[in-house]
Amino acid sequence: MTAMLRLINVSRRFGGLIAVNNVSFELRAGEVVGLIGAGKTTLVNLITGVHRAGAGEIWYGSERIDRLPPDRIARRGIARTFQVVQPFPLMTVLENVTGGALFAGGVPTIRAAKEKAMEHLTFTGLSHLAERPASALTLANRKRLELAKSLATNPRLLLLDEVNAGLNAAEIDAALDLIRAIAERGITIMLIEHVMKVVLKATSRVLVLHHGELIADDTPGNVTRDPRVIEAYLGSKFAARYGSLAP
């Protein structure tokens, strides 16, 4: 099967800091893959065009995308959420999602975009808040709004950057259920996380970065037993604990 996304020896420096160093991997359609470790958000920024790679290549299907701007990458079917959610606060929840549908969702009119936006709000459990200003939402609901906005762009690949940050245990469980429901729609997901319990529960494969280098690409169970990951990221005590959660 041809890879949906392929990175080949991708690197990025910021001055003297090497944020991403010679990273190569592939994502295939339908996968839910976790990404942990130092350099993960920079890597997402490279994939989505926020930053340009200093070296290497990024391919989406048969097209090289590492020189495209973010809007053109989004219109090709790659969507993302942001670690710090920043909706348009004075716009309603519905208007926030409608903007995503108009921008990259392929809908021809505002009326059609609103209808599509309501579908995504219903899916994410926010339809009853559609006419509320986005500024009135709780953190958990702002996270759901971020998901609805990204889904409105009609993605084939969705990069979720710390969507569970700041949530309590019950909210995290609800967010995981929603992520699984998104995956069941056939959308490929990369889950960028620092909460290992979330990664182990939600993914079938985990990529681990350390100082911007890819040190592991394996199943959750194997990653928790990898000596390099234990030394660099987990620690032996936590590796033993997380190992019992991994499939």
Side-chain angles (χ1 to χ4, degrees), residues 118-126 144 151 178 181-182 185:
M118 277 303 300
E119 292 178 14
H120 295 303
L121 289 178
T122 298
F123 176 73
T124 54
L126 293 176
R144 286 177 175 262
L151 292 173
L178 185 54
I182 293 170
R185 290 185 161 194

Side-chain angles (χ1 to χ4, degrees), residues 124-139:
T124 54
L126 293 176
S127 58
H128 64 295
L129 300 172
E131 299 303 328
R132 297 275 188 91
S135 59
L137 296 182
T138 64
L139 175 60

Side-chain angles (χ1 to χ4, degrees), residues 93-159:
V93 170
L94 177 60
E95 288 168 342
N96 268 267
V97 183
T98 299
L102 280 171
F103 167 69
V107 294
T109 66
I110 292 178
R111 179 177 178 178
K114 285 184 176 180
E115 291 173 354
K116 185 60 67 173
M118 277 303 300
E119 292 178 14
H120 295 303
L121 289 178
T122 298
F123 176 73
T124 54
L126 293 176
S127 58
H128 64 295
L129 300 172
E131 299 303 328
R132 297 275 188 91
S135 59
L137 296 182
T138 64
L139 175 60
N141 283 336
R142 289 202 303 273
K143 297 277 189 176
R144 286 177 175 262
L145 176 58
E146 190 81 355
L147 282 173
K149 287 164 57 182
S150 64
L151 292 173
T153 65
N154 196 29
R156 294 176 56 227
L157 171 61
L158 181 57
L159 311 176

Side-chain angles (χ1 to χ4, degrees), residues 31-34 36 196 199-208 215-226 228-229 234 242-243 245-247:
E31 283 193 296
V32 180
V33 176
I36 64 174
M196 277 300 298
V199 174
L200 298 178
K201 283 186 174 182
T203 68
S204 58
R205 182 171 143 229
V206 183
L207 308 172
V208 185
I215 63 170
D217 177 357
D218 212 330
T219 64
N222 286 342
V223 162
T224 60
R225 293 186 289 269
D226 188 312
R228 295 167 300 174
V229 178
L234 297 177
Y242 289 133
L245 297 175

Side-chain angles (χ1 to χ4, degrees), residues 232-246:
Y233 192 79
L234 297 177
S236 57
K237 177 180 178 181
F238 290 99
R241 178 189 303 173
Y242 289 133
S244 66
L245 297 175

Side-chain angles (χ1 to χ4, degrees), residues 1-243:
M1 184 184 298
T2 304
M4 172 180 281
L5 181 74
R6 183 160 51 105
L7 275 67
I8 305 172
N9 302 325
V10 171
S11 297
R12 171 71 193 207
R13 287 176 175 265
F14 295 97
L17 173 66
I18 304 175
V20 173
N21 190 15
N22 201 36
V23 170
S24 299
F25 66 84
E26 295 183 351
L27 294 184
R28 301 189 181 278
E31 283 193 296
V32 180
V33 176
L35 176 65
I36 64 174
K40 55 188 183 296
T41 295
T42 299
L43 190 61
V44 171
N45 287 336
L46 296 176
I47 294 169
T48 55
V50 175
H51 300 312
R52 282 196 172 187
E57 301 176 3
I58 303 174
W59 291 79
Y60 181 58
S62 60
E63 181 181 15
R64 185 173 175 180
I65 63 170
D66 52 88
R67 290 297 180 264
L68 295 181
D71 61 308
R72 291 177 64 186
I73 291 174
R75 289 190 174 95
R76 280 158 171 75
I78 299 178
R80 67 168 298 177
T81 63
F82 288 86
Q83 183 174 349
V84 179
V85 291
Q86 293 182 321
F88 298 103
L90 299 182
M91 293 170 60
T92 67
V93 170
L94 177 60
E95 288 168 342
N96 268 267
V97 183
T98 299
L102 280 171
F103 167 69
V107 294
T109 66
I110 292 178
R111 179 177 178 178
K114 285 184 176 180
E115 291 173 354
K116 185 60 67 173
M118 277 303 300
E119 292 178 14
H120 295 303
L121 289 178
T122 298
F123 176 73
T124 54
L126 293 176
S127 58
H128 64 295
L129 300 172
E131 299 303 328
R132 297 275 188 91
S135 59
L137 296 182
T138 64
L139 175 60
N141 283 336
R142 289 202 303 273
K143 297 277 189 176
R144 286 177 175 262
L145 176 58
E146 190 81 355
L147 282 173
K149 287 164 57 182
S150 64
L151 292 173
T153 65
N154 196 29
R156 294 176 56 227
L157 171 61
L158 181 57
L159 311 176
L160 303 179
D161 193 358
E162 303 275 10
V163 291
N164 296 292
L167 303 185
N168 62 37
E171 291 167 341
I172 288 174
D173 287 341
L176 285 175
D177 288 341
L178 185 54
I179 290 169
R180 294 186 188 102
I182 293 170
E184 288 172 0
R185 290 185 161 194
I187 298 173
T188 304
I189 295 174
M190 175 176 276
L191 185 61
I192 299 93
E193 266 293 346
H194 70 277
V195 180
M196 277 300 298
K197 182 177 74 170
V198 171
V199 174
L200 298 178
K201 283 186 174 182
T203 68
S204 58
R205 182 171 143 229
V206 183
L207 308 172
V208 185
L209 296 175
H210 181 55
H211 296 313
E213 294 185 13
L214 185 66
I215 63 170
D217 177 357
D218 212 330
T219 64
N222 286 342
V223 162
T224 60
R225 293 186 289 269
D226 188 312
R228 295 167 300 174
V229 178
I230 292 172
E231 179 180 359
Y233 192 79
L234 297 177
S236 57
K237 177 180 178 181
F238 290 99
R241 178 189 303 173
Y242 289 133

